[in-house]
Structures are given as structure tokens and as C-alpha cells.
Amino acid sequence: MRSDVVKKGIERAGQRALLHACGVSRYDMKKPFIGIINSYNEIVPGHMHLDIIAKAVKEGIRAPAGFLLKWVR
């Protein structure tokens, strides 16, 4: 999987240490990392609903076996 680029190999020990310090468990390290980009804001009326869509996407990622980084909102 593409997220293995930042998780596997001796040369990535520093990245793994930082991820563990951020609360990523060894079990979660085996899951694909998925990031969500969202243009929700309170300024543009046409974007006001995007937070609801992002919440649904996050739950869809968590449900099967993905790991969603905690700081992604």
C-alpha cells in the first residue's frame, strides 16, 4: 500500500517513532493511512454542508480497517 512508504524499513524508524508518539499503535501501523482533504468553511454558503460529508467519509474509513490520523478533522 502507498502509505508503507512512510511506515516500513529501517530508514523510516524516525517517522515510526513520531507516529507512535502521536498515538498510533503497532496494530494501526498495519492499516492503510488515509488523509481527507475538505474545503469546508463558514464563509462560502455552498461549502457549509461539507463538514457533514467529511464526517460520513471519516466513519466510512474507520469502519472496515483504515486508520484515520487523529489530527485530520
Side-chain angles (χ1 to χ4, degrees):
M1 76 190 102
R2 293 177 71 182
S3 55
D4 285 346
V5 172
V6 296
K7 297 186 292 186
K8 294 194 175 183
I10 191 72
E11 66 279 355
R12 300 294 184 222
Q15 285 91 329
R16 283 192 304 276
L18 180 60
L19 289 167
H20 285 301
C22 290
V24 179
S25 69
R26 290 183 187 271
Y27 175 74
D28 289 334
M29 290 289 275
K30 295 177 183 177
K31 299 177 184 178
F33 283 12
I34 302 167
I36 299 171
I37 305 300
N38 186 354
S39 60
Y40 163 75
N41 65 65
E42 296 177 352
I43 305 293
V44 179
H47 291 193
M48 293 292 288
H49 68 291
L50 295 177
D51 62 331
I52 298 167
I53 294 172
K55 287 177 187 175
V57 170
K58 288 192 281 187
E59 291 307 313
I61 290 170
R62 287 186 184 114
F67 176 74
L68 187 65
L69 297 176
K70 293 177 184 175
W71 56 82
V72 178
R73 296 181 184 184

